[in-house]
Amino acid sequence: MPAKTLTTLQKLKDKGEKIAMLTCYDATLAHACEEAGIDVLLIGDSLGMVLQGHDSTLPVTVSDIAYHTACVKRGAPGALIVADLPFMAYATLEQTFTSAAQLMRAGAHLVKIEGAAWLAESIRQLAERGAPVCAHLGLTPQAVNVLGGYKVQGRGDEQARQLLEDCVAVAEAGAAMLVLECVPSELAARITQAVSVPVIGIGAGPDTDGQVLVIHDMLGLSLSGRTAKFVRNFMQGEGNIQAALRAYVKAVKNREFPAPEHGFSA
Ligand code: KIV
């Protein structure tokens, strides 16, 4: 299988083909994901919740993400790897460079940062220095204490206009891809049309360029016993994890998942 790159993703968007992305934190599942045809592996700071058992992503450190990035890289040497810069690891430009360097050295091809238009300068400077950026907008879990909970973002005309403007601003600053989390489906579709780079949704409806889920969620594993509206358990009807991963790739590529019922209204 040829190694996946940012060019692979851009070609998929340009041809109107969907991108399948999952979080991943270890070598064995990374290998299984690569075999199943997942396009992008994300070492998300969700590892703070699903691996470490915290109730938010805030305790995660750059070293935690670097450790799991190296594990994933060993298991899936041909995968396109995105690694999260965790809470407060990009509060200043100097800190942003140091944190990004640690993750790129561990094997990441892109770093992901959460925020809005205020990220533009960091995105520009990272890209200029050889660290492409995936910008994560909408519900940004690192800001849970500012947002007052894990809530849908971009509802109402004013919030929707602001989110669209923010997405355009980060794309113009040089973001190589966007993740949109918990955004009304119709707004996510407009944002996807408005920017030329790939837009990956989670709780953003069926019309983004691709889909990402936390791997534990799509395998039907949950610490809390709760399942978000935008999650489907791909183990149902499948005999093993490998088959569930293949079913996820097929459902995303065939536009069967996410379906309209996995999205949110404005
Ligand atoms: O940390 C993570 O897993 C993420 C995804 C939910 C997009 O950011």
Side-chain angles (χ1 to χ4, degrees):
M1 222 182 297
K4 304 225 167 149
T5 65
L6 269 173
T7 312
T8 318
L9 298 196
Q10 193 62 53
K11 281 189 181 152
L12 288 173
K13 171 161 182 149
D14 295 344
K15 285 192 284 182
E17 289 176 24
K18 295 282 184 180
I19 298 163
M21 172 166 165
L22 279 180
T23 69
C24 194
Y25 320 100
D26 71 87
T28 308
L29 281 173
H31 178 69
C33 285
E34 198 177 26
E35 290 285 308
I38 300 289
D39 297 307
V40 191
L41 297 179
L42 167 65
I43 297 78
D45 58 2
S46 52
L47 70 82
M49 298 168 93
V50 298
L51 298 192
Q52 298 173 338
H54 296 296
D55 63 0
S56 79
T57 59
L58 273 56
V60 176
T61 64
V62 179
S63 296
D64 291 336
I65 301 281
Y67 172 82
H68 289 281
T69 300
C71 295
V72 167
K73 180 78 170 189
R74 285 191 285 269
L80 182 63
I81 295 177
V82 181
D84 258 344
L85 284 178
F87 180 62
M88 285 293 167
Y90 47 102
T92 65
L93 263 184
E94 202 181 329
Q95 203 186 14
T96 306
F97 298 150
T98 308
S99 305
Q102 196 177 339
L103 299 189
M104 300 294 283
R105 283 192 194 106
H109 300 107
L110 289 90
V111 292
K112 179 161 81 58
I113 51 183
E114 295 183 7
W118 59 266
L119 291 174
E121 192 52 28
S122 305
I123 291 171
R124 186 171 296 111
Q125 296 224 21
L126 280 170
E128 282 168 359
R129 285 159 179 75
V133 176
C134 172
H136 180 153
L137 295 96
L139 171 56
T140 47
Q142 290 170 19
V144 61
N145 294 305
V146 176
L147 300 175
Y150 298 101
K151 298 175 182 165
V152 178
Q153 302 296 306
R155 276 190 162 141
D157 289 349
E158 180 47 32
Q159 265 210 39
R161 189 196 52 75
Q162 184 62 57
L163 188 54
L164 178 60
E165 268 182 34
D166 285 335
C167 289
V168 170
V170 297
E172 280 175 355
M177 62 191 283
L178 267 53
V179 163
L180 274 187
E181 179 165 354
C182 290
V183 169
S185 305
E186 178 267 335
L187 174 60
R190 273 201 284 146
I191 292 169
T192 305
Q193 294 292 321
V195 300
S196 59
V197 294
V199 177
I200 311 296
I202 173 166
D207 296 320
T208 54
D209 299 311
Q211 179 67 21
V212 59
L213 284 180
V214 171
I215 193 164
H216 292 63
D217 291 345
M218 58 77 67
L219 294 176
L221 298 169
S222 163
L223 259 181
S224 68
R226 287 189 302 273
T227 306
K229 182 181 190 221
F230 53 79
V231 170
R232 181 165 132 196
N233 176 0
F234 284 86
M235 280 302 284
Q236 271 170 3
E238 304 296 341
N240 55 47
I241 289 176
Q242 194 65 51
L245 294 171
R246 267 193 248 109
Y248 173 74
V249 173
K250 187 164 172 255
V252 171
K253 299 276 177 189
N254 291 348
R255 300 163 189 269
E256 288 154 16
F257 179 80
E261 68 263 24
H262 298 112
F264 297 101
S265 59

